[in-house]
């Protein structure tokens, strides 16, 4: 049986198991490992990767029988008590993607498509996490998708897995993340959405570290004479080559190539019929002596040859030994390449050692060149393990914890976070802090979940500067901070200012940060003040945050409006956006989706569209759990002109790139971020801006009843049938209002007015009917008032209920789900069909 919290993984395209050995080192159990080449599987067996022999699957992953073997192993472990696979790791072949491959062919797209097998298995077994690693071009490389079409691998990953996973992909040079060699790769991490409230993929990546020089990594290795095998280390051996080539590299200084030699006999060449024929220099790094004071080069599969890329030792006339390569690739010293211990290998005779190296060395070297550095996956494994070993509470458990420990008291809350008696994860502690804050409602603050911050992270700008200034103007309990740390951990220096109006939040944040690993390059300054009134004395490279969404009374808003461009709003988020634009070179701000279209923010849009809006992420209602508000994040580059704007919809799982001028076209009353050819085609058939609108706000349920005597019928949205052809009676829903009462209300003006039309409010099933005799409408029905004396024909009325118009209307309303009232702006799109 399994111990509590035994963590498990499956490894696909595992080669010799070098990379995923990091998962074994961190305590994970391998359920199944798949590799096509038998000698590589044998290396995994030597290292006791799997508990059961049946876990070593040396078969073609494309075959159904191979997948069945994997699924059978999963079932075996289920019987032992394993509820779910924790991690699936896949490192599919990358020859068709690598810049080192000069022989790419069309059939490589099929080879690249092996990654789709990994995606298919993820979909079937639904692990808690998945990790894909490959070359830097991985996400943009073509493959054959599950539907048979050719698509970019990145698109297929997101299309097939984004419904169940939060996904992040980063291109990292592993030398900056704990490996000992320069190796630029794409690392894709997915987290099941069932865990996304507590952890995001970005938090699972290896941490940025200072790179090590080659001398720091292998500078203490014993020097080797020609053909020597170190007596204390079988794997530290001089790999011999044709002796006549030695002069090519012997006189080279660090960083020099044999092709730089003045004497042509010392340049790489061959003799053909007595004539010197110079070798071609396809890559500038062949026959190149490496530098002690730089990071080790990327290790390739042909690291046995002087003629390969960056293989020549900094001092000695040889390629790196296997042991040196292992250190460069962070492969543990006790990793076994053959079924003998190092002590046994060292005890062999000189002849036996040479015979064994002749048999195994190329295979070992090739496996090292194809591997993921062990320490990279070890860090990912440790991050997952740390998360899995923590406790993560539901909202009910959090509320119970707050109540039982009296955490409404700020001092008790700070002590609880400091002690963390239940080993709670950071997300749970932050959520406790949010809900325990008795001022939360007053400040209109909502918990910024990891799901949307993970998406925001992907669009944040890079800065080519030695020093970066960042401001978080409404920091709360710091939910953005771990992501800021990750994004800019490689920068030289980051000055991070965090502001909050609530002193309790600042104190709690300080307690939370004590449990966080803050990069050495980050300095945090805490500012307890009202961001909107604080006097900032510098410009920030980035202003990022989730400001409060709250309507202020006119008196409260008066001070904030003094320096505001938009004088028509009293919403705090708008004040935050404007001030952020004044003090920031780049702004990334979460706002209500209403910013896109409501009349209140017309001037704000006017201000924004004169800047470079690089991206709009549409979260719909996914932004805040349990809060019925639609949100977006808008990314504003204050230093650029108009450009292409990326529109990214999480609810629609859709990414489009639009000309900024196209979606912000002034001929329409507001921004249309999903505008497309279909929208334009329908627009050409319609005449717009024909109506004003009235919507009742006085007829409430308390004023209506089901009594018909001395009353007038109240027409509600459901009384207009779906195709807009008739009025329907609905028992228990129909309502009436006393004639004497209704005469005093604004809606009475339109009773029996034959010039107006009616349309249901708050719907994606618009339909328009002529006003109905002896009825009055409540707020669920809008009154369309022609600006000129027009009368719609039956066919024009019928068009509003067609599928074509309704699809058009969704785009016109930016696919909103909450702010669907027919207002002074959106009524523009009740366009009449030209006849």
């Amino acid at each position: 049986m399994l111990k509590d919290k035994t963590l498990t993984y499956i490894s696909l395209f595992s080669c010799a198991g070098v990379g995923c050995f990091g998962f074994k080192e961190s305590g994970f159990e391998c359920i199944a490992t798949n590799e096509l080449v038998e000698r590589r599987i044998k290396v995994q067996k030597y290292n006791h990767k799997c508990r059961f022999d049946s876990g070593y699957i040396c078969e073609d992953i494309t075959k159904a029988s191979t997948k069945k073997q994997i699924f059978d192993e999963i079932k075996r472990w289920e019987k032992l008590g394993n509820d779910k696979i924790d991690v699936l790791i896949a490192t599919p072949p990358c020859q068709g993607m690598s810049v080192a491959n000069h022989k790419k062919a069309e059939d490589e797209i099929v080879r690249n498509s092996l990654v789709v097998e990994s995606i298919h298995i993820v979909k079937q077994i639904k692990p808690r996490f998945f990790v894909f690693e490959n070359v830097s071009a991985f996400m943009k490389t073509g493959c054959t998708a599950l539907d048979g079409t050719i698509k970019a691998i990145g698109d297929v990953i997101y299309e097939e897995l984004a419904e169940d996973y939060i996904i992040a992909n980063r291109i990292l040079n592993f030398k900056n993340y704990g490996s000992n060699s320069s190796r630029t790769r794409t690392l894709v991490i997915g987290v099941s959405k069932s865990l996304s409230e507590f952890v995001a993929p970005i938090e699972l990546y290896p941490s940025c570290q200072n790179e090590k020089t080659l001398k720091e990594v292998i500078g203490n290795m014993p020097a080797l004479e020609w053909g020597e095998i170190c007596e204390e280390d079988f794997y530290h051996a001089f790999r011999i080559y044709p002796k006549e080539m030695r002069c090519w590299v012997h006189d080279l200084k660090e960083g020099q190539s044999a092709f730089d030699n003045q004497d042509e006999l010392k340049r790489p060449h061959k003799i053909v019929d007595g004539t010197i024929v110079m070798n071609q220099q396809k890559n500038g790094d062949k026959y190149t002596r490496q530098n002690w004071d730089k990071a080790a080069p990327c290790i390739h599969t042909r690291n046995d040859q002087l003629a390969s890329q960056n293989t020549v030792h900094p001092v000695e006339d040889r390629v790196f030994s296997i042991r040196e390569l292992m250190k460069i690739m962070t492969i543990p010293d006790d990793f076994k390449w053959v079924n003998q211990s190092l002590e046994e290998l060292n005890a062999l005779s000189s002849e036996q050692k040479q015979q064994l190296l002749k048999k195994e060395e190329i295979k070992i070297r090739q496996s090292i060149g194809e591997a993921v550095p062990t320490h990279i996956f070890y860090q990912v494994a440790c991050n997952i393990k740390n998360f899995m070993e923590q406790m993560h509470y539901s909202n009910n458990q959090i509320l119970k914890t707050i109540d039982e420990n009296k955490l409404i008291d700020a001092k008790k809350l700070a002590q609880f976070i400091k002690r963390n008696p239940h080993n709670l994860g950071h997300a749970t502690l932050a959520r406790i802090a949010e809900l325990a804050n008795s001022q939360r409602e007053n400040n209109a603050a909502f918990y910024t979940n990891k799901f949307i911050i993970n998406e925001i992270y992907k669009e944040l700008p890079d800065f080519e500067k030695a020093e970066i200034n960042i401001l978080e103007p409404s920091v709360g309990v710091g939910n953005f901070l771990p992501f800021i740390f990750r994004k800019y951990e490689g920068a030289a220096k980051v000055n991070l200012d965090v502001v909050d109006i609530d002193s309790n939040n600042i104190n709690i944040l300080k307690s939370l940060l004590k449990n966080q690993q803050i990069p050495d390059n980050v300095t945090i300054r805490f500012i307890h003040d009202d961001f909107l009134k604080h006097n900032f004395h510098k410009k920030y490279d980035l202003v990022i945050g989730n400001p409060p969404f709250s309507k202020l009374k006119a008196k409260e808003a008066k001070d904030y409006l003094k320096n505001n461009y938009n004088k028509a709003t009293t919403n705090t988020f708008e004040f935050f956006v404007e001030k952020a634009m004044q003090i920031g070179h780049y702004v990334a701000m979460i706002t209500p989706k209403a910013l896109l279209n409501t009349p209140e923010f017309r001037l704000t849009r006017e201000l924004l569209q004169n800047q470079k809006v690089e991206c709009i992420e549409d979260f719909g209602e996914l932004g805040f759990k349990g809060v019925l508000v639609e949100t977006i994040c808008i990314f504003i580059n204050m230093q650029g002109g108009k450009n292409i704007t990326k529109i990214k919809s999480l609810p629609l799982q859709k990414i489009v790139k639009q000309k900024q001028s196209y979606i912000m076209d002034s001929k329409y009353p507001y921004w249309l971020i999903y505008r497309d050819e279909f929208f334009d085609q329908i627009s050409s058939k319609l005449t717009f801006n024909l109506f004003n609108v009235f919507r009742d706000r006085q007829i409430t349920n308390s004023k209506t009843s089901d009594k018909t005597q001395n009353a007038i019928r109240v027409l509600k949205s459901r009384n207009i049938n779906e195709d807009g052809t008739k009025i329907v009676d609905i028992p228990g829903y129909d309502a009436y209002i006393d004639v004497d009462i209704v005469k005093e209300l604004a809606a009475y003006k339109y009773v029996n007015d034959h010039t107006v039309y009616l349309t249901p409010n708050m719907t994606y099933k618009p339909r328009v009917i002529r006003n109905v005799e002896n009825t009055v409408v409540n707020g669920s029905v809008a009154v369309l008032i022609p600006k000129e004396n027009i009368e719609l024909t039956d066919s024009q009325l019928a068009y509003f209920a067609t599928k074509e118009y309704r699809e058009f209307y969704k785009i016109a309303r930016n696919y909103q789900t909450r702010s669907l009232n027919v207002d002074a702006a959106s009524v523009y799109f009740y366009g009449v069909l030209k006849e």
Side-chain angles (χ1 to χ4, degrees), residues 442-456:
N442 294 337
N443 292 336
F446 299 107
Y447 180 78
T448 313
N449 69 47
K450 293 179 180 294
F451 172 58
I452 63 170
I453 304 177
N454 186 73
E455 297 305 316
I456 292 169

Side-chain angles (χ1 to χ4, degrees), residues 406-468:
K406 298 180 172 53
L407 301 183
I408 294 297
D409 184 308
K411 289 184 179 178
K412 290 182 178 179
L413 176 59
Q415 291 170 357
F416 180 87
I417 290 172
K418 185 177 180 181
R419 290 185 297 111
N420 194 9
H422 307 304
N423 189 31
L424 298 174
H426 180 267
T428 296
L429 289 173
R431 186 74 169 132
I432 287 172
E434 289 274 357
L435 293 178
N437 180 2
S438 61
Q439 298 300 310
R440 183 176 68 87
E441 294 297 334
N442 294 337
N443 292 336
F446 299 107
Y447 180 78
T448 313
N449 69 47
K450 293 179 180 294
F451 172 58
I452 63 170
I453 304 177
N454 186 73
E455 297 305 316
I456 292 169
Y457 169 95
K458 297 175 186 178
E459 305 302 330
L460 291 178
D462 296 312
F463 298 105
E464 300 296 328
K465 299 178 65 177
E467 188 170 351
I468 303 170

Side-chain angles (χ1 to χ4, degrees), residues 437 439 442-445 472-476 498-506 527-533 548 560 572 576:
N437 180 2
Q439 298 300 310
N442 294 337
N443 292 336
E472 217 289 29
S474 53
V475 71
V498 298
V499 185
D500 205 278
I501 197 170
D502 188 336
S503 61
N504 287 335
N505 279 346
I506 295 288
I527 302 172
H528 170 219
D529 201 359
D530 182 343
F531 164 73
L532 297 175
K533 294 180 179 179
Y560 300 140
T572 50
F576 269 72

Side-chain angles (χ1 to χ4, degrees), residues 88 104 126 154 170 268 278-279 312 321 327 361 483 493 507 515 526 536 538 558 561 615 623 631 685 719 773 827:
L88 182 140
K104 292 184 182 180
K126 298 190 184 305
R170 299 177 69 189
M278 292 296 170
N279 293 355
V312 185
S321 69
K327 288 182 177 295
E361 184 171 10
F483 296 81
K493 185 177 181 182
N507 292 330
N515 298 323
F526 300 91
F536 293 93
K538 63 180 178 182
K558 188 176 180 182
L561 286 169
C615 180
T631 55
K685 298 164 58 173
N719 292 127
E773 288 279 341
V827 71

Side-chain angles (χ1 to χ4, degrees), residues 566-615:
N566 185 354
K567 307 290 187 184
T569 183
T570 59
N571 201 306
T572 50
F573 91 80
E574 199 283 339
F575 302 148
F576 269 72
V577 170
E578 285 205 34
K579 183 159 186 179
M581 291 171 68
Q582 293 166 15
I583 62 174
H585 294 305
Y586 197 102
V587 176
M589 199 74 73
I590 297 175
T591 77
K593 191 173 178 179
L595 174 67
L596 300 177
N597 61 281
T598 58
E600 179 184 355
F601 305 119
R602 180 184 63 80
L603 291 174
T604 313
R605 292 191 293 274
E606 184 178 293
L607 187 66
L608 286 165
Q609 67 192 43
N610 289 321
Q611 305 303 326
K612 185 177 181 181
V613 179
E614 293 192 339
C615 180

